[in-house]
Amino acid sequence: MKVPTYHLLGFFLFFFFYHRRAWAHYKFVVKEVPCTRLCSTKNILTVNGQFPGPTLYVHKGDTIIVDVYNRGKYNFTIHWHGVTQPRNPWTDGPEYITQCPIQPGAKFRQKIILTTEEGTLWWHAHSDWTRATVYGAMIIYPKWGTTYPFPKPDAEIPIILGDWWKQDIKEVLDELLLSGGEGNYSDAFTINGQPGDLYPCSKQDTFRLKVERGLTYLLRIINSAVQDMLFFAIADHNLTVVGSDASYLKPFKRSFIVISPGQTIDVLLEANQNPNHYYMAAKSYTVAAEGVFDNTTTTAIVEYSGNYTPSSPPLFPYLPYYNDTLASVNFTASLRSLADKEHPIDVPMEINTYLFYTLSMNTFPCPNNSCSGPNGTRLLASVNNISFVNPEIDILEAYYYCIPGVFGIRFPDFPPLFYNFTEEYYPLSYEIPTRGTEVKILDYNSTVELVFQGTSLLLGSDHPMHLHGFSFYVVGVGLGNFDNEKDPLTYNLVDPPLQNTIIVPVKGWLTIRFKANNPGVWYMHCHFDRHMVWGMDAVFIVKNGKSPEAKLPPPPNDMPPCYYKAVPITSKVANSLGPDICPIRMEIK
Ligand SMILES: *[C@@H]1O[C@H](CO)[C@@H](O)[C@H](O)[C@H]1NC(C)=O
Ligand SMILES: *[C@@H]1O[C@H](CO)[C@@H](O)[C@H](O)[C@H]1NC(C)=O
Ligand SMILES: *[C@@H]1O[C@H](CO)[C@@H](O)[C@H](O)[C@H]1NC(C)=O
Ligand SMILES: *[C@@H]1O[C@H](CO)[C@@H](O)[C@H](O)[C@H]1NC(C)=O
Ligand SMILES: *[C@@H]1O[C@H](CO)[C@@H](O)[C@H](O)[C@H]1NC(C)=O
Ligand SMILES: *[C@@H]1O[C@H](CO)[C@@H](O)[C@H](O)[C@H]1NC(C)=O
Ligand SMILES: *[C@@H]1O[C@H](CO)[C@@H](O)[C@H](O)[C@H]1NC(C)=O
Ligand SMILES: *[C@@H]1O[C@H](CO)[C@@H](O)[C@H](O)[C@H]1NC(C)=O
Ligand SMILES: *[C@@H]1O[C@H](CO)[C@@H](O)[C@H](O)[C@H]1NC(C)=O
Ligand SMILES: *[C@@H]1O[C@H](CO)[C@@H](O)[C@H](O)[C@H]1NC(C)=O
Ligand SMILES: *[C@@H]1O[C@H](CO)[C@@H](O)[C@H](O)[C@H]1NC(C)=O
Ligand SMILES: [Cu+2]
């Protein structure tokens, strides 16, 4: 049979592109470049010299390879935020949790395994505070041949919200840790790397979104800020929220949204107003006192095409007052999964592991009361009264190789003390946490319900909690103390949203559910980097299941090395961790 050549060519092209896409390969060269914002220039760390970094365009189910070359001055790691990475914690990224850092001059090949994620995610550095400038979008299109659960938008635009610090970010972190106090806050917020009109020396470079009346735009909004939850709105335009954290939502309309660091929100913008210039704007949502947070506003401009005289200045949107907690909680409570035939939900209904974690701001005594926290103390933060301390060997390797002395396995399921967590007055001694590196061990396939309870210690704060390795269903949220009897009756088990980051409201609670079907070591932390370095972190170890596809595979052979003293392991010490805890026992030399 004679096959026309163009058929063969078509077949070849299909194969070539299909496989190229399915195994996209990127090169990330991490290096410093000079960058000017707010009338001054400093060196910032970037990927490939770009700020924000390159966008990854992929399809649902793809596997991506990224070769990360550290040509910077500091230890470095990178994390694929919201990718569950089944059985692949090895290249998840958080330093001293799943790997030791990539040292200057070194290289690490990272594999990103996408499965059910579809929509918008992002990637960012996960060492010290280098993520302040090292981040980018990850756009996950539907599988080939399928489409969105809403009319195909005419164009798609990433809107990456960030913050900008005039100071070198390493200096900000060093100062924070040295002083023990609140530390500094950012000087500006940014939209796609630009502060916008309202800041000095910024007007020229303001991000402009050109739109045509009658068309619909999908804005893929990401909050990459180090420190701040943000209100975001576009003047005279409602936003139709259709997705968050790479999972679709039942569409709902809002004049503004609330987005936490780490979170992504997809919205449809209909260009249905009179041709004009309209501001899009973002500013902080915070309960911090005036004078100790960045109260500036970042803007970009939505510009209709056509012949007209734009209003000057452009029309400005309504944004709630900085501390409008009700607006924020209302937004979180409005998220609902599609939960239809094509997008079924899988919320665990029979729970076998109940956890209750308090999230607290803390103080710690400082020699001679010489720190800058309240009464000369050092500020810390904790989960269940344990302020997490990073180990020197990453927990994943310590677990895999069964290296003793790196972490403890006694992270408590409940706080040491039940009291009125949201009361205004409490004994001062409650403020002081214990410090340690404890992990919570979960059996493979266990069904977990975790209630977060924000406490009023040091007036409390909202906490955008982020879990690596899983997406979780948010089944309930409220203000005040969690009521074990009444609140579970309000749970949404029908169409709860599937998130990887969610705001636990100040002096409030929030309940998540997930199934621990991803063996390995997975970090959970507040996505305010300040709270993270103060110790509001926890680590889950999900044990291996019985079948081969439920077991943690060996590490890639280019894992960045850790430096540690050789500890000869006797089987006695190894066994003291418990018989099922270490999948592999090896003598480390
Ligand atoms: C905080 O930031 C400001 C503005 O960038 C800077 O002038 C100051 O030195 C920084 N440090 C402290 C401790 O305030
Ligand atoms: C936005 O939605 C609200 C409530 O549905 C409506 O009252 C308002 O007119 C809408 N605004 C625009 C600009 O479409
Ligand atoms: C921002 O905070 C500064 C310092 O506290 C204050 O002077 C200024 O009025 C505030 N600006 C706004 C817009 O709230
Ligand atoms: C918000 O801040 C204002 C001004 O500082 C204050 O009067 C008000 O009580 C605060 N609201 C809440 C809910 O804390
Ligand atoms: C949020 O606020 C809107 C408008 O006030 C209200 O209609 C809606 O019921 C609230 N939603 C939730 C979940 O509280
Ligand atoms: C604390 O103060 C005492 C008396 O001034 C001084 O001798 C001591 O060195 C100080 N300790 C520290 C850790 O600064
Ligand atoms: C500082 O000390 C005073 C006096 O002991 C106490 O009333 C106050 O609550 C303390 N502040 C904090 C934040 O611990
Ligand atoms: C807990 O404290 C809050 C704030 O002071 C108060 O409103 C509430 O009634 C207290 N709850 C109980 C059960 O005492
Ligand atoms: C946290 O633990 C410390 C040390 O055991 C204790 O003094 C403190 O009261 C605890 N705080 C709370 C809120 O349980
Ligand atoms: C884990 O759950 C999956 C899906 O419910 C099931 O197919 C599998 O058999 C379970 N494995 C174990 C070891 O329980
Ligand atoms: C960089 O990482 C290596 C390996 O974990 C570690 O030994 C070293 O102390 C780190 N350097 C800094 C400055 O943190
Ligand atoms: Cu926090």
Side-chain angles (χ1 to χ4, degrees):
M1 198 186 80
K2 192 166 180 279
V3 181
T5 348
Y6 61 87
H7 273 182
L8 276 177
L9 184 66
F11 185 71
F12 172 75
L13 283 179
F14 167 79
F15 230 78
F16 182 72
F17 282 106
Y18 183 80
H19 284 277
R20 262 185 76 80
R21 291 293 196 138
W23 286 90
H25 196 144
Y26 290 83
K27 183 174 176 182
F28 275 22
V29 178
V30 178
K31 60 179 175 188
E32 287 195 359
V33 297
C35 185
T36 306
R37 294 287 185 280
L38 309 177
C39 326
S40 65
T41 302
K42 66 167 186 174
N43 276 346
I44 62 168
L45 202 62
T46 64
V47 162
N48 301 345
Q50 290 170 251
F51 173 71
T55 300
L56 306 185
Y57 296 94
V58 295
H59 282 81
K60 181 177 178 177
D62 283 0
T63 293
I64 311 159
I65 301 290
V66 182
D67 284 318
V68 181
Y69 295 81
N70 185 0
R71 304 257 164 84
K73 286 190 288 199
Y74 306 114
N75 281 348
F76 180 84
T77 69
I78 204 157
H79 167 57
W80 321 94
H81 185 114
V83 180
T84 61
Q85 295 274 39
R87 299 171 65 234
N88 186 33
W90 298 108
T91 65
D92 187 48
E95 66 174 348
Y96 301 115
I97 307 297
T98 60
Q99 68 171 91
C100 282
I102 310 168
Q103 291 171 55
K107 180 209 156 197
F108 184 34
R109 169 167 288 194
Q110 296 189 246
K111 190 150 90 173
I112 308 153
I113 304 170
L114 292 162
T115 49
T116 55
E117 304 86 353
E118 179 174 328
T120 308
L121 291 176
W122 63 302
W123 54 266
H124 62 79
H126 216 304
S127 47
D128 292 338
W129 283 11
T130 48
R131 79 173 180 85
T133 56
V134 185
Y135 58 80
M138 191 188 308
I139 295 184
I140 309 163
Y141 295 117
K143 267 192 165 38
W144 294 96
T146 68
T147 185
Y148 306 111
F150 43 82
K152 193 169 176 355
D154 297 289
E156 306 188 6
I157 301 97
I159 300 288
I160 312 182
L161 309 174
D163 49 18
W164 182 263
W165 309 66
K166 281 190 194 161
Q167 247 179 315
D168 180 80
I169 199 68
K170 177 98 170 46
E171 218 174 82
V172 176
L173 175 59
D174 289 349
E175 242 173 52
L176 174 83
L177 296 178
L178 191 69
S179 74
E182 297 255 1
N184 235 336
Y185 46 88
S186 53
D187 297 288
F189 296 108
T190 56
I191 297 178
N192 291 341
Q194 295 297 340
D197 282 14
L198 306 184
Y199 299 91
C201 310
S202 303
K203 195 177 171 93
Q204 200 62 31
D205 298 314
T206 297
F207 176 71
R208 285 162 188 276
L209 172 60
K210 298 214 162 57
V211 301
E212 216 164 297
R213 193 180 166 140
L215 299 190
T216 299
Y217 299 82
L218 173 60
L219 307 185
R220 298 175 176 274
I221 308 169
I222 297 164
N223 184 350
S224 73
V226 175
Q227 213 76 289
D228 287 82
M229 301 168 287
L230 296 164
F231 288 123
F232 171 90
I234 299 179
D236 282 359
H237 289 76
N238 283 328
L239 304 170
T240 307
V241 179
V242 293
S244 178
D245 286 3
S247 179
Y248 294 116
L249 294 170
K250 288 200 171 73
F252 65 101
K253 262 191 190 165
R254 280 304 151 93
S255 62
F256 65 86
I257 65 161
V258 187
I259 185 165
S260 79
Q263 199 179 9
T264 73
I265 298 183
D266 286 356
V267 304
L268 295 175
L269 165 69
E270 285 176 72
N272 58 6
Q273 296 300 303
N274 291 330
N276 205 338
H277 287 186
Y278 299 87
Y279 270 130
M280 64 170 80
K283 71 168 192 189
S284 180
Y285 157 57
T286 177
V287 295
E290 189 68 55
V292 295
F293 70 94
D294 181 346
N295 64 1
T296 63
T297 303
T298 179
T299 56
I301 299 173
V302 176
E303 240 179 56
Y304 278 69
S305 62
N307 282 329
Y308 59 91
T309 312
S311 33
S312 178
L315 300 162
F316 202 85
Y318 163 79
L319 291 167
Y321 196 65
Y322 298 107
N323 61 4
D324 195 341
T325 297
L326 292 179
S328 169
V329 175
N330 176 293
F331 188 80
T332 298
S334 302
L335 308 175
R336 297 189 178 278
S337 279
L338 270 184
D340 61 17
K341 242 207 203 121
E342 287 76 37
H343 309 88
I345 60 158
D346 186 21
V347 56
M349 297 303 274
E350 276 171 34
I351 301 299
N352 56 31
T353 307
Y354 288 92
L355 306 174
F356 186 95
Y357 286 5
T358 52
L359 305 175
S360 299
M361 308 309 298
N362 301 100
T363 57
F364 205 74
C366 208
N368 288 351
N369 296 330
S370 61
C371 287
S372 308
N375 297 334
T377 61
R378 158 177 299 282
L379 287 169
L380 288 181
S382 65
V383 180
N384 276 354
N385 202 33
I386 297 185
S387 181
F388 187 83
V389 178
N390 266 1
E392 282 170 21
I393 301 171
D394 64 277
I395 292 178
L396 179 55
E397 284 182 87
Y399 163 61
Y400 188 79
Y401 295 118
C402 215
I403 304 166
V406 176
F407 60 86
I409 56 168
R410 312 215 186 288
F411 191 88
D413 294 354
F414 301 95
L417 192 67
F418 275 86
Y419 64 104
N420 185 346
F421 297 116
T422 59
E423 76 191 337
E424 204 175 329
Y425 301 100
Y426 51 80
L428 265 187
S429 64
Y430 284 13
E431 279 180 7
I432 305 173
T434 56
R435 305 185 76 180
T437 311
E438 296 290 331
V439 308
K440 168 67 191 168
I441 310 267
L442 292 171
D443 283 332
Y444 181 77
N445 257 3
S446 48
T447 48
V448 182
E449 178 178 297
L450 166 48
V451 177
F452 293 108
Q453 173 72 59
T455 77
S456 56
L457 300 185
L458 296 156
L459 300 176
S461 164
D462 293 75
H463 301 290
M465 296 305 293
H466 171 50
L467 176 60
H468 293 222
F470 303 89
S471 288
F472 49 75
Y473 289 99
V474 179
V475 299
V477 58
L479 291 172
N481 292 304
F482 177 72
D483 182 325
N484 197 21
E485 278 172 9
K486 290 200 194 108
D487 289 325
L489 303 176
T490 70
Y491 283 171
N492 173 10
L493 301 174
V494 176
D495 57 1
L498 185 63
Q499 301 284 138
N500 64 59
T501 309
I502 195 76
I503 302 173
V504 178
V506 56
K507 291 182 230 169
W509 59 271
L510 182 137
T511 306
I512 65 171
R513 287 188 177 188
F514 65 96
K515 184 169 185 177
N517 54 7
N518 193 4
V521 170
W522 303 107
Y523 198 23
M524 186 175 77
H525 61 96
C526 180
H527 221 281
F528 291 153
D529 280 18
R530 207 162 49 142
H531 295 181
M532 184 176 79
V533 299
W534 284 343
M536 193 173 283
D537 322 57
V539 172
F540 290 111
I541 291 183
V542 178
K543 291 202 285 189
N544 281 340
K546 291 212 168 58
S547 61
E549 37 323 326
K551 290 193 199 307
L552 182 63
N557 51 23
D558 64 342
M559 275 316 281
C562 304
Y563 288 98
Y564 49 89
K565 290 192 194 84
V567 189
I569 303 183
T570 61
S571 55
K572 194 174 156 208
V573 178
N575 280 328
S576 73
L577 288 175
D580 298 324
I581 295 195
C582 299
I584 286 191
R585 304 240 162 78
M586 235 171 83
E587 305 264 328
I588 303 293
K589 300 241 168 66

